[in-house]
Amino acid sequence: MPPRYTRRLALLAVAIFVAVGLFIVEQRPQHSLEPHAFPSLYNLVHEVQEPSKEGESAAPHSDHDELELDPCTVLSPHKGFIDLRGLSVVAGHGHDVKQLSWSAKGYDSGHNYTVGVCSGAIKRHLLPNVEVVDSLNASQVGAYYIDQETGRYISMGQVSTRPMFKGKKLTLTYENGSNCNGMTFKDGTPLRRRTILTFTCDRDMLTKAHVSYVAAVDECTYFFEVRSHLACPTAAKADNLAAIWIFVLILLAALLVYLSGGIFYKALKQRQSSHS
């Protein structure tokens, strides 16, 4: 058997590599968010008291907002990463990218709604011939329906690429759509339509997603549910890379212990043989 100090050296090498691996794990950025109570439908409707206006300074961001994420992605409160870009666009022929839009029937309202996820809901080839109420930019309409009497497009909110968690529910809000019918704030500012998409993780779906109309409040705020496996948290790319490096370090540690132990053992055997 190898001498006692050779075994101690091997154990020391293992301890060093384990310590390095733990240090790498601790240095990874922690993306978890604090969970909150589940928001009610009333809170979602009345969360914004004043309409957002162009030119106003944005509200100060929290520490989590400083993390640089790709558009249409978000960090889950349960230490996961959610990428909704698969609901926004799909690869076409060659390098072309096809814009996706989703239809939902409003059975109680009588409207047929079209919704985009982080992208415009109006197909690109229709944009030159589309007239949106209140002269809004058709390419930025995130959700709409067509007025049956006038044939004009009613914007239900402009596109946003920033999903966020409200409590434990993942949501995406489109604001600054067409004006609500005759509704204004106290200062006379017209109240504008907006849409709130809530996302539900469904790993058993055979299709990419299913969008359902939920409700509308005063024909001004619209709610839709999006069920999809893409709304399920997965491991972030950075975490996968760190796990690979940890595995490599462990493998190198085992290899180093094996080689160093063998070399020292042979050297000691030769030394003992030369003295005998």
Side-chain angles (χ1 to χ4, degrees):
M1 293 180 63
R4 182 179 301 175
Y5 68 85
T6 303
R7 293 196 299 269
R8 290 180 178 177
L9 182 62
L11 292 175
L12 179 61
V14 172
I16 291 174
F17 276 93
V18 170
V20 171
L22 292 176
F23 176 77
I24 292 176
V25 173
E26 291 297 328
Q27 292 302 311
R28 287 184 300 166
Q30 299 297 321
H31 297 323
S32 61
L33 304 178
E34 293 295 330
H36 303 283
F38 185 83
S40 65
L41 186 64
Y42 178 86
N43 291 335
L44 288 174
V45 175
H46 295 279
E47 182 186 26
V48 179
Q49 298 297 328
E50 295 292 337
S52 57
K53 302 176 183 178
E54 297 181 0
E56 289 186 349
S57 58
H61 300 299
S62 64
D63 294 338
H64 300 296
D65 294 333
E66 295 177 358
L67 296 173
E68 293 185 2
L69 296 176
D70 292 331
C72 214
T73 64
V74 68
L75 298 172
S76 168
H78 306 292
K79 298 183 180 180
F81 177 78
I82 298 177
D83 188 348
L84 300 175
R85 288 174 293 186
L87 302 177
S88 175
V89 295
V90 64
H93 298 290
H95 297 286
D96 294 337
V97 176
K98 181 181 179 182
Q99 187 173 297
L100 294 178
S101 58
W102 306 87
S103 300
K105 175 70 175 179
Y107 293 99
D108 59 345
S109 66
H111 300 307
N112 293 317
Y113 301 103
T114 303
V115 179
V117 177
C118 298
S119 63
I122 302 177
K123 296 185 181 299
R124 293 175 182 173
H125 69 276
L126 297 176
L127 292 177
N129 302 319
V130 167
E131 181 183 359
V132 182
V133 173
D134 297 324
S135 302
L136 299 178
N137 186 350
S139 64
Q140 294 299 313
V141 173
Y144 73 89
Y145 68 90
I146 300 177
D147 189 309
Q148 298 298 326
E149 296 182 358
T150 63
R152 302 170 70 190
Y153 285 63
I154 307 295
S155 172
M156 297 154 55
Q158 302 292 85
V159 172
S160 171
T161 59
R162 190 181 178 190
M164 64 179 62
F165 277 88
K166 296 184 184 297
K168 296 182 180 180
K169 199 68 175 177
L170 177 59
T171 66
L172 179 64
T173 303
Y174 297 156
E175 298 186 350
N176 295 323
S178 300
N179 293 340
C180 301
N181 297 330
M183 301 178 65
T184 61
F185 287 93
K186 293 181 179 179
D187 61 357
T189 304
L191 189 63
R192 306 183 72 172
R193 286 177 168 86
R194 64 175 181 150
T195 295
I196 299 177
L197 307 178
T198 60
F199 295 85
T200 301
C201 170
D202 191 339
R203 301 183 187 275
D204 298 326
M205 288 195 65
L206 298 179
T207 58
K208 181 176 289 189
H210 179 71
V211 179
S212 301
Y213 167 79
V214 177
V217 179
D218 298 327
E219 282 295 322
C220 195
T221 301
Y222 304 85
F223 294 89
F224 295 86
E225 181 188 33
V226 182
R227 303 185 68 88
S228 174
H229 67 276
L230 294 175
C232 301
T234 59
K237 295 180 180 179
D239 291 338
N240 291 335
L241 185 60
I244 293 174
W245 277 110
I246 292 173
F247 175 77
V248 171
L249 282 174
I250 294 175
L251 185 62
L252 290 176
L255 183 61
L256 178 62
V257 170
Y258 175 77
L259 294 177
S260 61
I263 292 173
F264 277 106
Y265 179 68
K266 289 180 180 179
L268 289 173
K269 290 292 289 184
Q270 291 177 358
R271 185 176 180 182
Q272 291 176 358
S273 299
S274 63
H275 287 289
S276 60

